[in-house]
């Protein structure tokens, strides 16, 4: 557990370095497909180091993982909006909010909620993730104008294609997994 917590702190610290932020945020794929998921991952790893009494307190209001999942969905939807990606680049307060919200309001509740979800609940999460990837892909590919003002239309098109591919990869793994796994609930 301590290794994951340390890894989470190191990852968060690395992502917060000005040079790393500049490198990842200079391109739309780096910002959306690397920095944001890595911030969530840092929160996921940090959550493993929470004291047991804090976890128990949180779990009292997180029956079956639903409360945590609701928090994750609201926060993720907020950061899926192109307006907020632009704001994170243009306004320091949004950048700070991104660095706090993604680890603490997506990564941490994901760690605390995932195992509490039923198999059907997990399936719903995965299917909604795939659907959202495809919707965002369609948005970025079909929009006749740039939806993120800080990035070029070519980057928008690339992100659209990558989101489409990522959705297909996840859907394929989910479709094939029951045929090669002996216990689908062992996640």
């Amino acid at each position: 557990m301590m290794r994951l917590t340390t890894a989470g702190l190191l990852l968060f610290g690395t992502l917060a370095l000005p040079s790393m932020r500049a490198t990842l945020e200079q391109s739309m794929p780096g910002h959306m497909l690397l920095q944001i998921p890595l911030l969530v991952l840092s929160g996921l790893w940090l959550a493993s180091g929470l004291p047991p009494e804090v976890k128990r307190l949180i779990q009292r209001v997180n029956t079956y993982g639903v409360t945590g999942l609701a928090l994750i969905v609201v926060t993720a939807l907020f950061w899926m909006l192109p307006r907020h990606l632009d704001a994170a680049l243009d306004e320091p307060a949004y950048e700070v909010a991104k660095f706090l919200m993604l680890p603490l309001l997506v990564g941490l509740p994901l760690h605390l909620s995932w195992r509490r979800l039923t198999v059907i609940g997990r399936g719903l999460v995965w299917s909604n993730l795939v659907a959202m990837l495809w919707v965002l892909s369609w948005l970025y590919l079909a929009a006749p104008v740039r939806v993120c003002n800080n990035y070029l239309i070519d980057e928008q098109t690339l992100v659209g294609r990558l989101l489409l591919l990522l959705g297909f990869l996840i859907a394929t793994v989910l479709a094939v997994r029951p045929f090669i796994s002996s216990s689908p609930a062992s996640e």
Side-chain angles (χ1 to χ4, degrees), residues 2-182:
M2 206 54 170
R3 283 188 198 159
L4 278 179
T5 304
T6 303
L9 284 170
L10 286 173
L11 179 58
F12 183 83
T14 302
L15 292 170
L17 292 171
S19 60
M20 183 59 77
R21 281 190 10 248
T23 299
L24 291 175
E25 292 174 353
Q26 75 182 357
S27 74
M28 194 174 183
H31 193 179
M32 284 186 65
L33 302 176
L34 284 176
Q35 185 187 51
I36 287 175
L38 288 173
L39 283 169
V40 171
L41 181 63
S42 74
L44 195 83
W45 287 348
L46 285 170
S48 68
L50 285 175
E53 53 275 358
V54 173
K55 286 183 180 181
R56 277 194 299 276
L57 181 66
I58 292 171
Q59 296 302 22
R60 287 177 48 200
V61 295
N62 193 22
T63 307
Y64 300 112
V66 174
T67 308
L69 190 61
L71 183 59
I72 293 166
V73 168
V74 169
T75 306
L77 287 174
F78 179 86
W79 286 106
M80 280 184 197
L81 296 174
R83 157 67 183 117
H84 296 132
L85 285 178
D86 275 339
L89 298 174
D90 298 333
E91 301 171 33
Y94 265 85
E95 182 78 355
V96 170
K98 178 179 70 177
F99 268 79
L100 293 176
M101 290 172 71
L102 291 169
L104 297 178
L105 302 180
V106 178
L108 187 132
L110 183 59
H111 175 84
L112 297 173
S113 300
W114 189 252
R115 288 196 174 119
R116 295 183 72 104
L117 290 172
T118 64
V119 173
I120 292 173
R122 291 178 192 173
L124 286 170
V125 170
W126 282 117
S127 61
N128 280 311
L129 173 65
V130 169
M132 283 311 303
L133 290 172
W134 287 341
V135 167
L136 282 173
S137 171
W138 169 79
L139 170 72
Y140 288 131
L141 290 172
V145 295
R146 292 185 307 171
V147 292
C148 284
N149 294 328
N150 288 300
Y151 298 114
L152 300 174
I153 195 95
D154 292 342
E155 289 180 290
Q156 178 176 304
T157 302
L158 175 61
V159 166
R161 289 180 180 147
L162 290 172
L163 289 171
L164 183 66
L165 177 64
L166 184 58
F168 276 115
L169 287 173
I170 293 171
T172 301
V173 168
L174 292 172
V176 170
R177 194 164 142 214
F179 296 105
I180 59 174
S181 176
S182 60

